[in-house]
Amino acid sequence: MPRDLPIGNGTLLVAFDSQYRVSDFYYPRVGMENQVGAKFRLGIHCDEELHSVDEDAWQRTLEYLRDTLVTDVSLQNDAIGIRIRCHDAVDPDANVFVRKIVVRNLRDEARDVKLFLHHDFALYGNASGDTIMFDPRASALVQYKKRRYVLMNCDRGVTEYACGRSATTGAEGTWRDAEDGVLSMNAIAQGAVDATIGIPLQLAAQGSETVMYWICAGRSDSEVRGLDAMVRDEGAAHVLARTGSHWYTWVNKTGEDLSALPEEIIDLYRRSLLVIATQCDRGGAVLAANDSDIQWGHNDHYSYVWMRDSAFICDAMGRAGFPEICRRFLVFANDVLRNEGYFLHKYNPDGSPAPLWHPWVRDGKSQLPIQEDETALVVWLVARHYERTRDLDLLREVYPRLVVAAADFLARFRDAQTGLPLPSYDLWEERLGTFTFTCAAVWAGLNAAAELAHLFNDQERHATWTKAAEEVRAAMRKHLWLESENRFARGLVVNGDALELDPAVDSSAFATFYLGVFPAESALVEGTMRAIRERLRVHTEIGGIARYENDGYHRIYAESDRVPGNPWILCTLWLAEHDAALGEEGVQAALDHVRWARAQATASMILPEQIDPYDGQQLSVAPLTWSHAQVVSVVQACLAARRETR
């Protein structure tokens, strides 16, 4: 299920699903330690019945206030005559989640109702060993385990509550306790626990009441109590307003003139910048996606750092005028690069190696369980970041490892006879071999490293890496070009001890121009992109471009003539990159692809990884950070094309 409303500050990330339930609460790192055991619920008790806003009777609109990371949520239940308006935010400067709740009576008589807020934390991501209790010192609920604390409070103080066993244990949970409108007032529980707060409201005819509510996250009792005091002193409403102002200023800080773009594309562009910000940890990690529902079918999630995704995301943000995300990531990458000069498959947000499914041995022989493009693209990113920022201090810091060690690895990890990179896993993490995308990335990495070596008058390395890059490009034309079809093949796949040509059309071949190996207008690229447009197009009303021919990932329908695979936001926008790369004449076509992406987004403009080719339902994870970064990249490419024309 998509995360319709992610909000965060680089340390605390809170995300709501389409039913307006808090589904993810990541702290103290984005994407690591999801502190939610079961989804949190919000409801109203009136007419002697509890009405949870995730029930079908409610009409829900989940959006953001424009150009901010403050939510704008409307919830209405005509049967009970109640409308609720909510605004949620995470303080950019403190680990505090704050919510404004306005409950309106739609009837012409006064009514007494009760607002209920349910919490089911599993601290450290583990639903055991927690304590939840009412703390009379703060008139708040506090849950803790070891060095993880959360405090829940409201502007009226917590006066009605229930602490109990979580429904994840098979118990009924404290939400069940709220069904009669009266909570147990049980003041403490331990183990796998949950808690519910009740707030009585007196609504005049057609009247409303407002509640300010917040959750503080910290590593100690004194820390969360200090945050609670800060919110009470400043006022939760002011925290909310200050947060909105912060993000509005942030997303507009470059002053870039977007007036030539259609309004709906400007909105998606700025929303994408904001969504990307929520998926980045202050320690430098750039997460692929934080949507924990994917675990239910896959026994794992996307809350990892893939260096390839991160490189493209950081590059897009740098082009848009937000280089600080890239700078933090490059420091992170410098720390996690192995001494041998390559990156592993993926990493946790704290830099530790993440779960791995590429083996270190195959058919009894040792191999590197890597995707070589990930190493190459980080080198490429170093040069791109320096070109934009002239941040010489950072370049000097990372040059010995991220450039020298990595480029030396790229130069030597090649076949002595062909000049091609040795086999590694493809960017889709499915095949072992030497692929067009990987080769393009290796060329880009070596070429970037050579430019940086020249900057430092490191002429021997400059010559070595330049020669290696030239050999890779020549080898691509010799071994990966399909003359009969006038396009590049997907690559060469390992079959036993041999490499066999894999002629499949794969959208990742866009890298041949995007990474600068060949000009966008060259016959090599034109033929390749034409094959992608024609053979990977999804011929349904939804449209879009599949990853490659007969893609089986999350596949729902067996037919392959009309549906070569599910349409991906990324792959469709790669066509837009090619359109924009051709200059002003391609800009309109590129913007049409962005419009298509906008049509696949939620009302809150959240983009997924892929979508159902028939009903347009979002599949896999949402938001996928790279999807939003691709929107940013395409818009920047269109603006650049128009600037060049002028």
Side-chain angles (χ1 to χ4, degrees):
M1 183 178 290
R3 296 298 179 254
D4 288 54
L5 297 169
I7 52 176
N9 64 6
T11 302
L12 171 62
L13 169 62
V14 181
F16 297 85
D17 67 12
S18 60
Q19 294 173 293
Y20 191 52
R21 298 175 297 189
V22 173
S23 300
D24 297 306
F25 192 100
Y26 292 99
Y27 170 82
R29 290 186 178 276
V30 173
M32 195 169 183
E33 291 185 32
N34 185 6
Q35 312 290 355
V36 169
K39 297 177 180 183
F40 300 4
R41 302 171 81 176
L42 171 69
I44 286 283
H45 190 275
C46 62
D47 302 334
E48 300 183 349
E49 190 174 350
L50 178 63
H51 303 272
S52 180
V53 301
D54 58 349
E55 295 169 351
D56 291 342
W58 290 84
Q59 303 166 46
R60 292 179 292 269
T61 302
L62 278 63
E63 297 179 347
Y64 292 94
L65 296 179
R66 187 173 184 181
D67 289 359
T68 75
L69 284 175
V70 177
T71 73
D72 186 10
V73 176
S74 179
L75 310 160
Q76 184 161 325
N77 188 326
D78 292 329
I80 63 172
I82 292 291
R83 179 188 301 143
I84 303 174
R85 185 84 176 270
C86 295
H87 299 301
D88 309 89
V90 171
D91 189 324
D93 303 314
N95 293 315
V96 176
F97 161 62
V98 63
R99 173 187 279 173
K100 179 181 180 179
I101 307 169
V102 181
V103 181
R104 179 168 293 279
N105 179 14
L106 301 180
R107 294 181 180 172
D108 292 328
E109 67 270 5
R111 309 162 69 188
D112 290 340
V113 303
K114 192 173 288 185
L115 179 69
F116 284 103
L117 296 130
H118 168 252
H119 319 78
D120 195 326
F121 283 106
L123 301 182
Y124 286 97
N126 178 12
S128 65
D130 288 31
T131 298
I132 179 72
M133 66 179 189
F134 176 71
D135 186 343
R137 298 169 298 173
S139 294
L141 292 181
V142 175
Q143 185 166 335
Y144 69 90
K145 178 164 62 187
K146 293 186 270 189
R147 295 294 183 184
R148 299 290 178 267
Y149 282 73
V150 288
L151 180 150
M152 296 139 273
N153 208 348
C154 66
D155 54 356
R156 304 160 187 233
V158 175
T159 59
E160 297 186 24
Y161 55 84
C163 303
R165 292 181 61 197
S166 168
T168 59
T169 66
E172 293 186 309
T174 57
W175 189 250
R176 181 65 180 272
D177 189 25
E179 287 186 347
D180 62 358
V182 180
L183 294 174
S184 68
M185 302 297 285
N186 186 50
I188 194 166
Q190 62 85 30
V193 297
D194 73 350
T196 299
I197 294 172
I199 304 174
L201 303 175
Q202 296 177 330
L203 301 178
Q206 296 291 331
S208 66
E209 281 209 48
T210 299
V211 174
M212 299 302 302
Y213 151 89
W214 57 89
I215 301 176
C216 306
R219 292 177 171 84
S220 67
D221 178 71
S222 61
E223 184 177 355
V224 294
R225 284 169 57 80
L227 291 171
D228 177 59
M230 179 271 292
V231 175
R232 286 187 279 111
D233 290 345
E234 181 181 348
H238 190 267
V239 172
L240 190 70
R242 174 169 53 78
T243 301
S245 295
H246 166 85
W247 287 113
Y248 184 87
T249 302
W250 181 87
V251 80
N252 289 285
K253 71 177 182 178
T254 64
E256 188 167 31
D257 183 8
L258 303 175
S259 60
L261 297 173
E263 196 66 25
E264 71 270 21
I265 290 180
I266 296 174
D267 287 345
L268 179 61
Y269 173 74
R270 288 183 175 146
R271 178 55 51 200
S272 291
L273 292 170
L274 289 161
V275 169
I276 292 167
T278 69
Q279 307 299 301
C280 298
D281 184 75
R282 287 186 185 175
V286 177
L287 284 301
N290 293 291
D291 175 356
S292 61
D293 281 357
I294 193 75
Q295 294 179 94
W296 297 110
H298 290 76
N299 198 35
D300 207 345
H301 50 72
Y302 278 44
S303 294
Y304 299 120
V305 180
W306 277 268
M307 310 307 282
R308 167 188 52 258
D309 297 39
S310 299
F312 281 121
I313 294 162
C314 288
D315 183 62
M317 292 300 283
R319 292 169 69 186
F322 299 87
E324 64 277 7
I325 290 174
C326 184
R327 192 184 202 286
R328 289 197 297 264
F329 169 71
L330 290 176
V331 173
F332 173 92
N334 194 59
D335 290 340
V336 304
L337 183 77
R338 291 175 67 91
N339 291 335
E340 299 90 339
Y342 60 82
F343 291 106
L344 292 175
H345 177 198
K346 59 185 186 292
Y347 295 87
N348 292 310
D350 64 357
S352 59
L356 179 68
W357 61 74
H358 301 324
W360 285 86
V361 62
R362 185 175 184 275
D363 297 332
K365 298 178 181 179
S366 295
Q367 67 171 18
L368 291 182
I370 64 171
Q371 298 163 281
E372 191 185 5
D373 64 276
E374 297 198 276
T375 301
L377 287 169
V378 173
V379 183
W380 169 79
L381 179 65
V382 174
R384 300 269 286 186
H385 179 72
Y386 178 75
E387 181 182 2
R388 281 188 288 264
T389 65
R390 300 303 184 197
D391 189 345
L392 187 58
D393 289 340
L394 176 65
L395 181 57
R396 288 172 59 84
E397 178 183 346
V398 303
Y399 183 76
R401 287 176 60 78
L402 285 190
V403 179
V404 174
D408 280 346
F409 171 79
L410 298 176
R412 70 174 178 269
F413 192 70
R414 293 187 302 132
D415 185 290
Q417 292 184 327
T418 66
L420 289 170
L422 290 171
S424 66
Y425 288 89
D426 68 348
L427 82 159
W428 308 126
E429 307 171 311
E430 296 172 342
R431 300 165 190 82
L432 181 66
T434 299
F435 303 96
T436 294
F437 179 87
T438 305
C439 292
V442 169
W443 178 89
L446 287 167
N447 189 62
E451 292 177 359
L452 295 172
H454 185 67
L455 179 72
F456 285 116
N457 199 25
D458 194 351
Q459 296 305 332
E460 184 175 346
R461 289 191 175 105
H462 169 77
T464 299
W465 298 334
T466 298
K467 180 174 182 292
E470 291 171 349
E471 290 171 352
V472 170
R473 178 160 53 187
M476 289 176 67
R477 297 188 66 162
K478 181 176 181 181
H479 299 285
L480 298 175
W481 178 252
L482 299 176
E483 190 67 41
S484 60
E485 298 191 35
N486 194 38
R487 65 176 177 88
F488 280 102
R490 172 156 58 199
L492 301 162
V493 295
V494 172
N495 185 3
D497 292 330
L499 285 172
E500 292 184 353
L501 187 68
D502 180 351
V505 176
D506 193 308
S507 63
S508 66
F510 92 105
T512 52
F513 80 86
Y514 187 78
L515 296 176
V517 192
F518 303 106
E521 64 277 7
S522 68
L524 295 167
V525 170
E526 287 284 0
T528 300
M529 297 307 295
R530 186 181 308 111
I532 292 171
R533 291 176 192 273
E534 294 174 356
R535 290 170 59 173
L536 298 185
R537 186 169 301 281
V538 176
H539 295 283
T540 66
E541 289 186 4
I542 297 299
I545 298 295
R547 286 195 301 175
Y548 52 77
E549 295 174 297
N550 298 312
D551 180 10
Y553 185 49
H554 282 289
R555 194 180 189 109
I556 299 173
Y557 307 99
E559 69 166 308
S560 58
D561 291 340
R562 294 207 308 148
V563 183
N566 295 333
W568 279 52
I569 303 295
L570 280 178
C571 305
T572 307
L573 292 179
W574 288 343
L575 292 187
E577 293 282 9
H578 185 241
D579 290 329
L582 297 176
E584 172 70 24
E585 64 271 20
V587 166
Q588 191 55 54
L591 293 178
D592 286 342
H593 288 302
V594 180
R595 285 191 182 90
W596 174 87
R598 176 66 184 88
Q600 317 314 318
T602 63
S604 55
M605 289 184 279
I606 296 299
L607 292 172
E609 177 185 70
Q610 53 183 295
I611 55 178
D612 186 301
Y614 285 95
D615 65 14
Q617 178 183 344
Q618 295 193 346
L619 300 176
S620 189
V621 293
L624 184 76
T625 315
W626 195 358
S627 291
H628 284 280
Q630 203 62 59
V631 168
V632 173
S633 177
V634 171
V635 169
Q636 285 296 318
C638 291
L639 293 172
R642 285 181 169 168
R643 281 195 299 268
E644 281 189 24
T645 300
R646 290 198 299 269

